């Protein structure tokens, strides 16, 4: 009986994840997406959130604690510009969360990631690091660069315990450089902030001739009740902290990224198979995922 309830909740949460928003991924893409494996946690986060659960963007004024970032955007921009040689792709296979973005030219420099500020950030950009570190709701922060001519494909981020904050620092100030969240488009502007729910399907493109640099933050999703907020905080501190990736050898690397280099070998083998025979690749991929689901679900039903 308990196992049946658990399986039913998981299936319901996957359906819920897929149905959110106007724009959806194909069912086959959704079934094998990382957001599917987080679906039960995400359904809890959205259901008990104090934010509206049916809109992709949120008014910046509803988060007054973030105003100090906007007020200091000139100073933050100066530090970001001085960091040009440090805003870069992962030098090793140790950033699973953004690995596919690097292939499209996207770059980053972490200030913090679900924990204390990075030593490299405290050394190289102390003012911005101090600003984000003294706002309790800011759980992760980085400088993110989207070069001219690059784009990020449509995707859902896996974790609904946070919402996303972008502050334009050095942008093209051009509608050709934009992010689209659930079919609603926003173009970055210097000194302007936007907040959105990254678990909706979204994508970004820079068709201008100038690189875009923003301050990119994960803001802890506000919950209706204190006990729900504690659960959200605990999940972020435990699960999301495991995805910490370093700027350099002095920064912490989370458990997920310590093992990602081994997973990447499997991924590379799969990509080589995909180039050789796409049909065989998808057949093997779906079979493996089906086996994983079966190993998790079937024992729980039987026992």
């Amino acid at each position: 009986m308990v196992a049946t309830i658990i399986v039913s909740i998981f299936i319901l949460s996957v359906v819920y994840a897929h149905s959110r928003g106007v724009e959806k991924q194909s069912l086959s893409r959704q079934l094998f997406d990382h957001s599917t494996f987080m679906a039960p946690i995400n359904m809890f986060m959205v259901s008990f959130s104090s934010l509206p659960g049916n809109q992709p963007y949120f008014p910046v004024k509803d988060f007054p604690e973030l105003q100090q970032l906007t007020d200091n955007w000139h100073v933050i921009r100066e530090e970001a510009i001085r960091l040009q040689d440090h805003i870069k792709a992962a030098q090793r296979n140790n950033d699973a969360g953004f690995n596919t973005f690097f292939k499209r030219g996207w770059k980053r420099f972490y200030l913090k990631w679900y924990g204390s500020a990075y030593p490299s950030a405290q050394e190289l950009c102390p003012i911005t690091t101090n600003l984000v570190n003294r706002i309790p709701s800011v759980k992760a922060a980085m400088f993110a660069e989207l070069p001219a001519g690059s784009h990020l494909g449509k995707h859902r981020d896996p974790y609904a315990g946070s919402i996303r904050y972008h502050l334009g620092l050095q942008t093209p100030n051009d509608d050709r450089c934009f992010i689209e969240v659930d079919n609603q488009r926003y173009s970055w502007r210097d000194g302007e902030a936007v907040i959105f729910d990254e678990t909706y399907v979204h994508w970004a493109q820079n068709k201008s001739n100038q690189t875009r640099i923003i301050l990119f933050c994960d803001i802890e999703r506000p919950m209706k009740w204190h006990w729900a907020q504690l659960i959200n905080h605990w999940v972020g501190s435990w699960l999301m902290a495991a995805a910490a990736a370093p700027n350099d050898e002095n920064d912490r690397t989370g458990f997920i990224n310590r093992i990602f280099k081994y997973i990447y070998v499997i991924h590379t083998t799969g990509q080589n198979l995909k180039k050789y025979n796409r049909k065989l690749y998808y057949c093997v991929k779906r079979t493996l995922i089906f086996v994983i689901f079966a190993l998790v679900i079937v024992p729980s039903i039987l026992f």
Side-chain angles (χ1 to χ4, degrees), residues 20-78:
R20 290 191 76 217
V22 174
E23 185 166 14
K24 299 173 177 61
Q25 300 180 111
S26 66
L27 183 58
S28 60
R29 167 74 185 275
Q30 181 63 63
L31 286 176
F32 304 117
D33 189 71
H34 48 206
S35 63
T36 293
F37 297 95
M38 294 286 287
I41 294 174
N42 289 345
M43 188 168 68
F44 170 87
M45 297 298 178
V46 175
S47 299
F48 291 97
S49 174
S50 61
L51 298 173
N54 59 351
Q55 64 185 60
Y57 290 94
F58 305 109
V60 177
K61 64 180 177 58
D62 291 348
F63 301 83
E65 72 275 17
L66 303 177
Q67 183 61 40
Q68 59 187 297
L69 297 178
T70 306
D71 290 344
N72 287 280
W73 78 272
H74 280 102
V75 178
I76 296 171
R77 179 173 69 175
E78 288 175 8

Side-chain angles (χ1 to χ4, degrees), residues 34-35 38 41-42 45 114 156-164 197-199 218 220-221 231-237 239-240:
H34 48 206
S35 63
M38 294 286 287
I41 294 174
N42 289 345
M45 297 298 178
Y114 291 85
R156 295 181 190 269
D157 282 20
Y159 181 54
S162 64
I163 54 176
R164 187 64 43 77
D197 186 332
E198 69 270 33
T199 58
D218 275 6
E220 187 171 79
R221 181 183 288 270
I231 291 175
N232 185 4
H233 185 78
W234 180 81
V235 173
S237 299
L239 182 62
M240 295 303 291

Side-chain angles (χ1 to χ4, degrees), residues 65-66 68-69 112 130-138:
E65 72 275 17
L66 303 177
Q68 59 187 297
L69 297 178
K112 63 181 296 186
N130 180 58
L131 281 169
V132 298
N133 218 30
R134 70 189 188 195
I135 304 174
S137 61
V138 176

